[in-house]
Amino acid sequence: METLVWIVHVIVALAVIALVLLQHGKGADMGAAFGSGSAGSLFGASGSANFLSRSTAVVATLFFLTSLGLAYFGLQQHKPASVLDRTAVPAPATQPAAPAADQNAGSKAGAIPQ
């Protein structure tokens, strides 16, 4: 299931890129006012902006939903049991107590005689 969501997510991302690049900017309308000839487009003068902007909105919504789906799958793989499990620090190892001075302290190498 996660693989299917990844595939749909990549396809939708490419569709968003293509639809955004197909749209004309706001500055293109100024050129049409001075006789540039952009009025003869495939969908008509105003129809292309409506079709492309609606398509972009639909594809962007699909991209958002697939992103949420991938976040859900990612959370399920690494789900901690509680907040304490995420921040648990292992207890420090206790150090052995210093050895008591015994009678053979003078015979040990490097021992200071008392």
Side-chain angles (χ1 to χ4, degrees), residues 2-85:
E2 184 179 0
T3 306
L4 178 66
V5 175
W6 269 110
I7 292 170
V8 171
H9 187 70
V10 169
I11 291 171
V12 168
L14 293 174
V16 167
I17 292 169
L19 286 172
V20 168
L21 290 176
L22 283 175
Q23 294 180 20
H24 65 283
K26 293 188 185 239
D29 293 334
M30 185 62 81
F34 293 109
S36 132
S38 66
S41 64
L42 180 64
F43 299 104
S46 64
S48 66
N50 289 335
F51 174 75
L52 288 177
S53 62
R54 287 180 185 159
S55 298
T56 304
V58 169
V59 173
T61 303
L62 287 174
F63 182 80
F64 181 73
L65 291 174
T66 56
S67 296
L68 287 176
L70 290 174
Y72 174 77
F73 285 127
L75 181 65
Q76 294 303 316
Q77 290 176 358
H78 305 290
K79 189 173 184 180
S82 72
V83 176
L84 295 175
D85 290 341

